């Protein structure tokens, strides 16, 4: 499950997460944009999650970013847009006018780094492989952690008598994302409240935690039942995207 202390990242761990490379990357024009955006984001204290170029509104470039703790409030989106827009104007990676959007990863976020697969252990995910394994490319199941250079997944569609636990080599993953469930929404809400409390403490707006409070992360319990994914969950994610990380238009 998600580490409840994600909102509190020490300086050493923060630097380590900022420098962590992505395992899932984009091809073509999006790759050129990523090469320009990534170092700018890292200098500002953010990590690149994904770059997507679409034909929406003529041409739209969506850059998804996050802090090392996984958060990305609207104020951060605005700051990144202001810093990145002039850099992209100078580099001119696209030979036509485009609309720049900076957004957060959202609740049912993409998984692009090793730490993402470790952080969201215990949650449902969809994974598409660039190289077929066991006669298929698409898998869905519970993230069971990282084993060496592979992700361990507990498939929820395994046939009777078939081994549900499989290993998927991270370097062969083309795309991976979380599946929206009640458990994921609850964890996201708890993480947001923890981050808000920590920010208030850092600003002197809230008292520090009592001495007897735990300073280490409690080991999360596995879910008692399989997480569910419904239309209500997808609507909740859409509301979260609109409210917490509305796209910010750049130049």
């Amino acid at each position: 499950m998600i580490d409840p202390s994600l909102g509190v990242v020490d300086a050493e761990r923060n630097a380590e997460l900022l420098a962590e490379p992505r395992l899932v990357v984009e091809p073509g024009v999006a790759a050129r944009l990523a090469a320009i955006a990534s170092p700018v984001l890292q200098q500002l204290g953010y990590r690149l999650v994904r770059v997507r170029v679409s034909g929406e509104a003529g041409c739209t470039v969506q850059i998804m970013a996050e802090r090392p703790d996984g958060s990305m409030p609207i104020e951060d989106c605005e700051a990144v847009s202001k810093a990145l827009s002039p850099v992209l104007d100078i580099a001119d990676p696209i030979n036509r006018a485009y609309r720049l959007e900076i957004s957060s990863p959202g609740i049912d976020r993409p998984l692009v780094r090793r730490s993402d697969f470790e952080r969201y252990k215990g949650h449902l995910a969809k994974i598409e492989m660039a190289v077929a394994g066991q006669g298929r490319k698409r898998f869905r199941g519970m993230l069971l952690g990282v084993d060496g250079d592979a992700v361990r997944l507990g498939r929820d569609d395994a046939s009777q008598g078939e081994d549900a636990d499989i290993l998927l080599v991270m370097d062969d993953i083309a795309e991976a994302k979380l599946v929206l469930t009640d458990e994921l929404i609850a964890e996201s809400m708890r993480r947001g409240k923890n981050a808000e409390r920590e920010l208030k403490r850092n600003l002197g707006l809230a008292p520090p935690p009592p001495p007897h409070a735990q300073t280490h992360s409690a080991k999360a319990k596995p879910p008692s039942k399989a997480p569910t994914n419904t239309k209500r969950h997808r609507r909740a994610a859409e509301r979260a995207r609109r409210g917490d990380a509305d796209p910010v238009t750049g130049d």
Side-chain angles (χ1 to χ4, degrees):
M1 302 297 283
I2 301 175
D3 186 344
S5 66
L6 284 178
V8 186
V9 182
D10 60 37
E12 183 177 347
R13 179 57 175 162
N14 187 74
E16 180 183 325
L17 289 171
L18 279 175
E20 183 184 9
R22 293 186 303 153
L23 301 172
V24 181
V25 296
E26 307 83 4
V29 175
R32 294 200 297 270
L33 286 160
I36 297 168
S38 186
V40 176
L41 289 169
Q42 187 171 340
Q43 188 175 9
L44 295 171
Y46 303 99
R47 306 197 304 178
L48 176 66
V49 177
R50 184 184 70 191
V51 176
R52 178 166 288 174
V53 181
S54 70
E56 184 180 349
C59 181
T60 296
V61 173
Q62 183 204 54
I63 295 180
M64 194 177 283
E66 65 181 353
R67 293 180 181 182
D69 65 4
S71 64
M72 191 68 177
I74 186 64
E75 295 82 4
D76 289 12
C77 293
E78 293 171 349
V80 168
S81 181
K82 290 178 180 177
L84 197 53
S85 290
V87 176
L88 291 175
D89 285 343
I90 294 173
D92 196 21
I94 300 180
N95 59 358
R96 57 174 169 157
Y98 61 89
R99 179 173 179 264
L100 176 64
E101 289 185 356
I102 308 297
S103 71
S104 76
I107 299 177
D108 51 342
R109 54 163 299 145
L111 305 170
V112 299
R113 291 179 169 86
R114 181 188 180 94
S115 61
D116 293 339
F117 294 100
E118 294 172 336
R119 177 179 291 180
Y120 292 99
K121 179 181 177 180
H123 286 285
L124 276 178
K126 291 180 179 179
I127 299 177
E128 182 171 350
M129 306 297 292
V131 179
Q134 300 184 4
R136 59 192 298 177
K137 285 190 174 182
R138 293 185 175 89
F139 298 88
R140 171 186 156 124
M142 187 80 70
L143 291 174
L144 302 177
V146 175
D147 189 346
D149 62 351
V151 176
R152 186 174 292 277
L153 190 76
R155 287 176 50 198
D156 62 358
D157 61 350
S159 303
Q160 187 174 4
E162 187 179 9
D163 189 2
D165 290 0
I166 58 171
L167 288 174
L168 303 174
V169 178
M170 284 184 280
D171 285 343
D172 293 338
I173 294 177
E175 186 175 358
K177 66 174 296 184
L178 294 174
V179 175
L180 197 63
T181 62
D182 283 335
E183 290 77 11
L184 182 60
I185 293 172
E187 289 284 0
S188 179
M189 291 176 65
R190 281 196 291 271
R191 187 173 75 248
K193 290 178 180 178
N194 288 339
E196 182 179 0
R197 281 196 296 268
E198 183 63 21
L199 178 60
K200 287 181 177 179
R201 286 171 184 155
N202 291 337
L203 295 175
L205 302 176
H212 62 272
Q214 286 186 337
T215 57
H216 62 279
S217 302
K219 186 176 180 180
K221 297 180 181 179
S224 56
K225 61 180 182 178
T228 54
N229 172 236
T230 67
K231 187 175 182 180
R232 176 170 60 84
H233 300 145
R234 292 188 288 273
R235 287 178 174 174
E238 185 62 29
R239 288 196 298 271
R241 291 190 188 98
R242 291 198 299 267
D244 295 338
D246 292 332
V248 177
T249 302
D251 295 336

